[in-house]
Every structure is written in C-alpha cells, then in structure tokens.
Amino acid sequence: MSIKFLAEDDRPREKFLQKGKGSLSDSELLAIIMGSGSREESVLELSRKILASVNNNWHQLSLLSVMDLMKFKGVGEAKAISIITALEIGKRKAGQEIPEKSVIGNSHDAYSLLKNQLSDLRTEEFWAIFMNNSNKVIHISQLTHGGISQSIVDVRVLFKKALEHLSTGIIIAHNHPSGSLRPSKEDINITQKIKEAGNILNIQLLDHIIVTQDSYFSFSDEGLL
C-alpha cells in the first residue's frame, strides 16, 4: 500500500506540505523514507512496528543492519538501505553543526564533539581532537577503525597529524561497542605511550575519552593521565 492510497489524514507527505516538517511524528517521518508498506499493513503501521521494536529510539534504530531491517515484512533491501542512509545523513549533519573552532574546557565538551561519530557504532574507531594553545579545536580526525573489541592506533600517525596542524594539545577518543566504560589494559597502555611521545614533542595529551552509546569515561577526570 503506497502513501497515495492512505486516508487523507494519514498521508505524511501531504501533512508535511500543509503543516510543515515539525508536525510529523517519528513514524510519519519513517513512513516517508520507506514510501510503502506491505499488503497486510500500511506504511504507517509498518513504521510504528519498526520503531516499537527499538523502543522508539532513533539511536537504537541506527544500530540495525540491512539484514535486521529486512526481517520486517514489507522491508526489502532498497527500503532498508534508504532507512540506514537517512540516519547516516542525520548523524553527519549533527556533526557539522558543531563550530570548527570550538573551545574544549572539560571532558564533556570533548564528548559532545565526538558522540555523534562514536556512540552508535558496532566496531571500534579511534579519533583525535587537535587543539592550539587556547584549547580551540583546529582539526578533528578519524585515525583508525577496527574490530568489535579494539582498534589499534599508530602513535606515529597521530603525531604526524598533530605536527601538520601545529597542534599543542590533543584529546584522543575511541568507542566501546560492548557498552562497557571500563578501560582495557590496551587502552591504558596506548594512553601512556601517547602521553610519553607527546612529552618529547611538547604536544600535551589532555584526555582520553571512551565513548558508549549514552555515556563516556574520561582518563583525565579519573586521574589516569
């Protein structure tokens, strides 16, 4: 059943045009992305079912793979890809809304800069924030992406980028797909290596942030630097 065959009050596209995008519910937004439902249920009913399966949480929905979404009757590969693509666009937009020259004053500022990139991933990624003497952000970069349990960063690559951007301070960050905030032995070891290398180059390691879907751990706040 396509949107054009729905009752007038249930047509998300018409509602969008008449009342604006802000008037649409989450299920109506998802219905527009999918375009059609199945023979058994309308696109809105299918949208509600999909969102209900993830507690109506967009972050949880973004964790679903193409195969996960295709388990819902009426969702084929093309629809699944459309849903995932729309969520990825939203994620990138959120990242771009942060001013390039943000000032990092504490661990939460660093977490806020990177949570959109790191909070909902299924594999580990390692990022770095490069700053000047005033703690203003010069550059943000993804350095590695790896497996479910770890992503190894090359210390030489990290400081090569720091020198290229004339950075005097760096904050490193990676995610834990498992949801655990506890730093691993490898996390502690690489932090120490980066700190020691930074001391030689006069580039201070200001913090190491571990990011999960809804929280973070700061080496600096916990006195581990």
Side-chain angles (χ1 to χ4, degrees):
M1 181 183 292
S2 69
I3 285 177
K4 67 181 180 181
F5 293 116
L6 295 174
E8 189 68 33
D9 290 342
D10 290 331
R11 294 182 183 175
R13 289 175 183 167
E14 283 77 0
K15 184 176 179 180
F16 179 103
L17 292 173
Q18 292 172 6
K19 300 181 180 180
K21 60 187 179 182
S23 69
L24 298 177
S25 66
D26 287 353
S27 58
E28 288 170 331
L29 290 170
L30 186 56
I32 290 176
I33 293 170
M34 291 196 297
S36 63
S38 66
R39 290 182 180 180
E40 287 77 18
E41 55 190 354
S42 72
V43 65
L44 272 172
E45 290 169 335
L46 179 57
S47 297
R48 294 186 188 109
K49 180 182 291 185
I50 293 172
L51 285 170
S53 74
V54 292
N55 298 314
N56 295 297
N57 185 294
W58 288 111
H59 280 296
Q60 290 290 339
L61 183 60
S62 71
L63 294 175
L64 300 187
S65 67
V66 170
M67 294 304 297
D68 291 333
L69 289 167
M70 288 176 64
K71 292 176 182 177
F72 293 93
K73 190 171 183 179
V75 178
E77 185 177 72
K79 284 183 187 175
I81 291 173
S82 294
I83 294 169
I84 293 171
T85 299
L87 292 169
E88 178 64 20
I89 290 171
K91 175 181 172 182
R92 296 187 187 188
K93 176 183 178 294
Q96 290 174 352
E97 288 173 348
I98 300 167
E100 185 180 354
K101 296 297 182 182
S102 298
V103 176
I104 304 295
N106 51 51
S107 62
H108 191 268
D109 291 341
Y111 168 67
S112 297
L113 268 179
L114 293 174
K115 65 180 179 180
N116 288 313
Q117 284 75 21
L118 289 169
S119 63
D120 59 358
L121 299 175
R122 289 191 169 189
T123 58
E124 279 200 11
E125 293 187 1
F126 197 103
W127 288 63
I129 302 172
F130 302 95
M131 293 169 292
N132 62 17
N133 276 323
S134 301
N135 284 349
K136 286 187 176 181
V137 176
I138 302 170
H139 183 68
I140 302 173
S141 179
Q142 178 196 38
L143 298 177
T144 68
H145 58 88
I148 294 174
S149 61
Q150 64 178 348
S151 179
I152 305 300
V153 64
D154 189 326
V155 177
R156 294 169 300 179
V157 172
L158 171 65
F159 283 101
K160 179 176 181 291
K161 286 187 175 291
L163 292 169
E164 287 173 352
H165 293 285
L166 303 178
S167 175
T168 58
I170 56 174
I171 292 175
I172 55 176
H174 76 284
N175 62 305
H176 277 182
S178 67
S180 171
L181 286 173
R182 183 186 298 274
S184 67
K185 187 176 296 184
E186 290 79 11
D187 294 337
I188 295 171
N189 288 341
I190 193 65
T191 303
Q192 190 60 34
K193 288 181 180 179
I194 291 171
K195 179 181 178 180
E196 292 172 357
N199 289 339
I200 295 171
L201 296 170
N202 201 27
I203 299 174
Q204 186 179 4
L205 175 62
L206 299 172
D207 206 347
H208 183 175
I209 304 291
I210 296 174
V211 177
T212 63
Q213 188 172 10
D214 54 10
S215 190
Y216 73 96
F217 176 94
S218 163
F219 274 66
S220 178
D221 292 350
E222 298 299 325
L224 297 177
L225 282 182

